Amino acid sequence: MRPEILTPLFASLKGLPGVGPKTVVLYDRLLEGANPVAGVEARIVDLLFHLPVSVIDRRHTPKIGEAVDGAIATIRVTVAEHRAPPRGSRAPYKVIAFDETGDLTLVFFSARADWLTKLLPEGETRWVSGRVEWFNRSPQMVHPDFVATEAEFATLPLVEPVYPQTEGLSSKAIARTVRHALDRLPHLPEWQDPDWLAKRKFPDFGSALRALHHPEGPLDETAEDPARERLAYDELLAQQLTLALVRASAKHLPKAPRFATGVLTTKIRDALPFSPTGSQEAAIDDIRADLAKPERMLRLLQGDVGSGKTLVAVMAAAMAVEAGGQAAIMAPTDLLARQHARSIAPLAEAAGIPWAILTGREKGREREAILEGLASGAVKILIGTHALFQGPVEFADLALAVVDEQHRFGVHQRLALTSKGRATDLLVMTATPIPRTLMMSSFGDLDVSRLTEKPAGRQPIATRLASSERMGEIVESLARAIANGQKIYWVSPLVEESETSDLAAAEARFEELTMVLGPVVGLVHGRMKAEEKDAAMRAFKEGDTRLLVATTVIEVGVDVPDATIMVIEHAERFGLAQLHQLRGRVGRGTEASSCLLVYKGPLGETAKARLEIMRATEDGFVIAEEDLRLRGGGEVLGTRQSGLPGFRVARLDRHGDLLAAARDDARLILARDPTLATPRGEALRVLLHLFDQDRGIRLVEAG
């Protein structure tokens, strides 16, 4: 049950003055995504967290003769005369005003004369505000932002907030509605520790929110603003408290310890053509220890591209089977699931472990046989897509679920993934290096193992930049590489030409390269049928084609060890994390590899910095931190689409220290008050509702 005190904030905006049935539709569009319940109207609380992004500062009040060209100025003038355009003319309406330093022309297009004569009566004094532009040594102001009498000017805010807008809603209209929304803000109980508030000099929640909607000066992104930091900390604490509650709930489920015997893992080791790295061994030890505990494993395996996560997953699955259970390994795409199956099959077979693959492509009797094998316990390891956890798939004893590329599934699906077993242990893996702050905010309910080395024999990748103007030279050099027996990926960012984009499309590039290089060119993209994708990948792997033109469908998990060259066209359009993933498709064998980032100039500062970072380092963790710095917390790793948190106030690139403090505070709160029953606990329940962390509330109420 939501606390009664929050009822006014969770009401529809329709109850506010000036927001009728038509206007509320515009606000729904403006605030789309703020309400976690799809299809529900925007609420007052959503608007209150819709914060200004800049200000119009009208405190500059020069005389006319002192006004700076191009600057916003607020000037006290006397109206001299009106100059209406001839009837039928498209010329603007002009009003001449003056002060003791000169004249100012006020310019209006398509304005009604009767309205302007009332607004600016001749001989009267008015305050006008707007951008001053000088032409032929004469200043003018086109459509002043406001015209006010002396009495009205005394009440006007000289610093006006500017809000993100949508068509049909101006910033002024939003500001007006926000003022009405702030009137509905109740005095909320304090959920923060008093000593912490005093130490950081934070205002109370209501004062902080009002201060951000009524800025007193320009918004400085780099300055420490106590009001913004207070709200950011509130948001981070709500999220960290929910993650801690999720973790406590999942760990709370009693589990029979699963003791690995080492019989199967020894056989897998004996079948390996190499020795595992030190960090692979450490991760395997972590998992073995977790399996043996009487509480669920919740572990994230974070490894850079090519660091050998698949081997750790196989060893974890074998340990679960040794302990008498079954294991499921889940990938985000059919392509990656089949890639896993090809890697895992020889190791599982060497150890004598029965395995199967299950995606949407297994049909009829084949599918029935697999489902029967799972239900009876005959199939010990199942590989597939997320379809594994939907519908009629039943396991005899699902001991371990391994989820690859976790960031593609969404944070809150973790618990659902293991519902096919009894207190199933969970291992999630990602090849996307995650910055420290994003790790805390998105995976705070998980223990973490990191793979920090590349397996023996992996070669460094030389990364170079080239302008698209040198396309002829690039293709000539690729022809020479093909003649020398090399395999090449060519990544193109679109499937087909778009009217709104000049990006080279994969299909067009495929045709052009085929004309020059001949039938050695293949094509794979996301719109192809699964069988066509498989055929294209198989032809490339077996050497029937030597250059594979692809969209980012190859970003994750595709493994062709003898591919040595990666060309990424329009590299300036990709994020750092994605560029790093794509580059990781080469350098997987024993041959020297290279990556060519082809860009179309001129480059903006951010794009230039991004490409330079790629050239400077192969360390995915360094790249991830730089990605966060360049793009901010909202967009890193494509978080808007991936289920990672998109914060309303907090910025992970700026509030890392607050996030660490919120994590520690959340753990301390639950250690002292696990059911949030104390006065502070009751206030924290209000906080969780306020930031839509209802999952945390449900877990508290469920005990």
Side-chain angles (χ1 to χ4, degrees), residues 1-24:
M1 289 287 290
R2 185 185 302 125
E4 188 66 31
I5 195 170
L6 291 177
T7 300
L9 298 184
F10 282 77
S12 166
L13 290 171
K14 264 198 297 209
L16 295 178
V19 183
K22 290 182 180 175
T23 316
V24 81

Side-chain angles (χ1 to χ4, degrees), residues 452-474:
T452 53
E453 308 134 281
K454 285 193 176 183
R458 288 281 170 91
Q459 296 298 307
I461 304 166
T463 302
R464 294 189 294 275
L465 310 183
S467 166
S468 57
E469 293 173 1
R470 296 173 53 200
M471 192 61 76
E473 295 171 48
I474 293 168

Side-chain angles (χ1 to χ4, degrees), residues 142-413:
V142 178
H143 283 281
D145 290 328
F146 71 72
V147 177
T149 64
E150 293 273 21
E152 289 167 340
F153 181 67
T155 65
L156 280 172
L158 293 184
V159 179
E160 183 181 313
V162 176
Y163 290 90
Q165 296 153 53
T166 189
E167 188 178 356
L169 272 181
S170 68
S171 182
K172 279 186 176 165
I174 294 167
R176 199 161 46 244
T177 309
V178 166
R179 284 197 294 275
H180 293 306
L182 284 168
D183 291 340
R184 305 285 179 94
L185 180 63
H187 179 71
L188 299 174
E190 183 55 75
W191 46 75
Q192 297 293 3
D193 178 70
D195 294 339
W196 169 251
L197 290 178
K199 178 183 174 186
R200 299 293 298 224
K201 298 184 176 154
F202 283 167
D204 65 78
F205 175 82
S207 300
L209 197 54
R210 288 185 177 92
L212 289 182
H213 283 294
H214 298 130
E216 295 181 353
L219 301 185
D220 184 353
E221 283 287 306
T222 58
E224 285 192 6
D225 175 1
R228 187 171 293 275
E229 299 233 321
R230 157 75 207 229
L231 292 189
Y233 189 73
D234 286 338
E235 185 170 30
L236 292 167
L237 180 59
Q239 194 244 14
Q240 288 297 302
L241 196 52
T242 296
L243 281 176
L245 285 162
V246 168
R247 178 184 172 87
S249 170
K251 292 272 189 183
H252 178 67
L253 284 172
K255 180 198 90 176
R258 297 179 174 116
F259 298 104
T261 62
V263 172
L264 301 176
T265 50
T266 300
K267 289 180 181 178
I268 291 173
R269 283 178 191 280
D270 292 343
L272 292 173
F274 54 83
S275 296
T277 64
S279 53
Q280 280 176 318
E281 292 286 17
I284 292 165
D285 289 344
D286 288 341
I287 293 163
R288 183 184 292 109
D290 284 351
L291 290 173
K293 289 176 182 173
E295 60 184 35
R296 284 182 64 201
M297 170 170 76
L298 297 170
R299 183 166 292 279
L300 173 70
L301 179 63
Q302 187 186 13
D304 205 346
V305 175
S307 59
K309 292 179 302 304
T310 306
L311 175 61
V312 177
V314 174
M315 295 292 272
M319 286 189 278
V321 175
E322 286 174 352
Q326 294 165 292
I329 299 174
M330 185 176 90
T333 65
D334 188 283
L335 191 70
L336 185 51
R338 293 184 185 279
Q339 177 73 55
H340 276 322
R342 283 192 288 273
S343 304
I344 290 167
L347 299 175
E349 285 159 11
I353 304 172
W355 68 277
I357 183 165
L358 188 65
T359 69
R361 287 163 62 183
E362 279 66 44
K363 307 281 187 194
R365 288 183 181 175
E366 181 188 11
R367 188 177 189 86
E368 284 175 22
I370 294 168
L371 293 175
E372 285 172 14
L374 287 172
S376 69
V379 173
K380 298 298 184 185
I381 297 178
L382 184 65
I383 302 157
T385 59
H386 59 277
L388 296 185
F389 297 93
Q390 297 167 351
V393 182
E394 297 294 340
F395 293 82
D397 178 14
L398 181 59
L400 172 70
V402 180
V403 186
D404 197 13
E405 288 307 318
Q406 162 63 22
H407 73 276
R408 295 185 169 220
F409 290 100
V411 175
H412 290 316
Q413 286 175 281

Side-chain angles (χ1 to χ4, degrees), residues 446-515:
L446 304 175
D447 298 311
V448 179
S449 296
R450 260 190 172 188
L451 301 183
T452 53
E453 308 134 281
K454 285 193 176 183
R458 288 281 170 91
Q459 296 298 307
I461 304 166
T463 302
R464 294 189 294 275
L465 310 183
S467 166
S468 57
E469 293 173 1
R470 296 173 53 200
M471 192 61 76
E473 295 171 48
I474 293 168
V475 175
E476 282 177 24
S477 68
L478 295 181
R480 290 193 295 272
I482 289 170
N484 290 332
Q486 295 193 65
K487 286 184 185 172
I488 302 158
Y489 288 111
W490 183 299
V491 175
S492 195
L494 283 183
V495 174
E496 58 194 25
E497 290 294 350
S498 159
E499 292 176 4
T500 58
S501 174
D502 60 352
L503 293 179
E507 287 172 341
R509 184 59 70 199
F510 165 71
E511 289 170 9
E512 290 165 15
L513 290 171
T514 301
M515 285 173 63

Side-chain angles (χ1 to χ4, degrees), residues 56-77 104 106 127-134 139-141 144-146 153 158:
I56 297 171
D57 190 346
R58 296 198 179 88
R59 292 174 299 179
H60 178 52
T61 54
K63 299 293 185 185
I64 291 171
E66 300 163 351
V68 177
D69 184 30
I72 289 174
T74 303
I75 307 174
R76 186 176 184 271
V77 298
L104 173 69
L106 306 176
W127 284 90
V128 295
S129 182
R131 194 172 301 280
V132 176
E133 293 168 320
W134 286 76
Q140 68 176 33
M141 187 183 287
D145 290 328
F146 71 72
F153 181 67
L158 293 184

